[in-house]
Amino acid sequence: MANSVKRTPLYKQIEMYIYDHMRNNNWEEHHKLPSETELAEQFNVSRLTVKNAMQNLIDKGLIYRIQGKGSFISDQKGEPLLYESGPAEAKEKLIAYIVPLAKTMHALQMINGIEEQLTKQGYRLLLFKTYNSKEVEKQVLQEAIRYNVAGIIIYPVEGETYSEEILKLSLSSFPLVIVDRYLRGIETNCVYASNTKGAYDAVSHLLQSGHKKIGFVSTQINGTSSIEDRLAGYELALAEHNAPIEHRLRRTHFHLDQVNNIISTGSIEASVKHELQEFIGQNPDMTAIFAVNSPLGITVMEAASDMGIRVPEQLSVCFFDDFMFSDYSRIPPTCVDQQAYLIGQAAAKLIAAVIEDPNQERRKIEIPTILKVRSSTALCETKMNCAEC
């Protein structure tokens, strides 16, 4: 009697073929695999056999599928990545909101706008925080998927020019809305403030008050469209008012974590204050400063005060984003209000619409800003070195 030979099932042969290419580094992370048709022809099997093999690899987290694009090698080493949007009825009525921090008035107003609008439309909100870490953002995106959410609203980490996780979701037509900014090169639904116009209005206010030498202070610019657009608004206002655009009047490399120390601990980072004092001291003809956010704006005002420079008599200061009880601060600030509640409300409406029709045309919604003129800005004529204006 002949010895029976146990043959490897055909679908297992396909699995081993793909696994061997991965193990030998022939196919690296995010390499696109041959199509099911190509594999079926190569192994002389049916597409169903190939489909079973591919599904097993997905379940093991070795590959992931992007609807309409194909299958790819995963980098998750065991964590399945399958971003396919199913019908809304098949999912929980849950929406994930992913945000760097939730401590500022801006962040809290946006959360309220999202939550209240989603409640009206029959959804519940799951909140995730990334602490402005790209790695944490990647993890919570995957966690949100495991919760079987119907859609995701995300406030990306600062400096993010490209996110593979967001790209995968977007390409698979998963219901996704980005708030606060847009990601260049990635077609997504997004809702954000009129950053260029907001900065333009603030700097125009300073120029109309007689200032010509206006500083620009920001965190790192590259990769964050909202900051890039605020710089564009600053330059546009200067150009239209025939004021010089001088790079010496910029400080644009501050690290967000250092700047946000005032939010997390209530105290100003000493190194940031010291550098701003050097910046002010090196440019005595600078009569006004525009900052891209409230932590930087507050730090500028404190830095000037410690130097004996009076705001607004000797230095006018305005910035993006209001803060809690600002009207009652020692010097109520002139600031650009992003209308964060309206951004959140619009994002909630948009994600609900996308859930109903994931294949609809991607939309960018821009919410107008409001310039609130208070006591931190004044006419240049009231300043000591008026001849320099």
Side-chain angles (χ1 to χ4, degrees), residues 273-335:
K273 182 194 282 189
H274 177 70
E275 184 168 348
L276 287 170
Q277 288 173 334
E278 285 188 342
F279 173 56
I280 294 169
Q282 290 166 0
N283 298 284
D285 59 337
M286 181 172 61
T287 61
I289 291 178
F290 170 66
V292 296
N293 58 39
S294 54
L296 266 176
I298 293 168
T299 305
V300 168
M301 293 171 70
E302 287 297 311
S305 177
D306 287 356
M307 296 171 71
I309 296 173
R310 298 189 306 277
V311 175
E313 292 84 2
Q314 293 172 279
L315 182 70
S316 284
V317 179
C318 64
F319 48 83
F320 249 79
D321 296 334
D322 209 350
F323 56 87
M324 202 75 73
F325 306 120
S326 58
D327 281 313
Y328 302 98
S329 55
R330 182 172 60 87
I331 304 174
T334 295
C335 62

Side-chain angles (χ1 to χ4, degrees), residues 254-270:
F254 293 105
H255 194 277
L256 184 65
D257 289 341
Q258 290 179 304
V259 170
N260 280 347
N261 193 56
I262 191 172
I263 298 173
S264 55
T265 69
S267 61
I268 291 173
E269 178 73 29

Side-chain angles (χ1 to χ4, degrees), residues 19 21 77 90 108 144-145 169 193 244 274 276-277 315-316 334 367:
Y19 179 73
H21 275 284
K77 299 179 181 179
L108 294 173
I145 294 295
L169 288 168
H274 177 70
L276 287 170
Q277 288 173 334
L315 182 70
S316 284
T334 295
I367 303 298

Side-chain angles (χ1 to χ4, degrees), residues 145-158:
I145 294 295
R146 288 195 290 270
Y147 272 99
N148 200 33
V149 296
I152 293 175
I153 301 172
I154 182 168
Y155 190 132
V157 303
E158 191 159 303

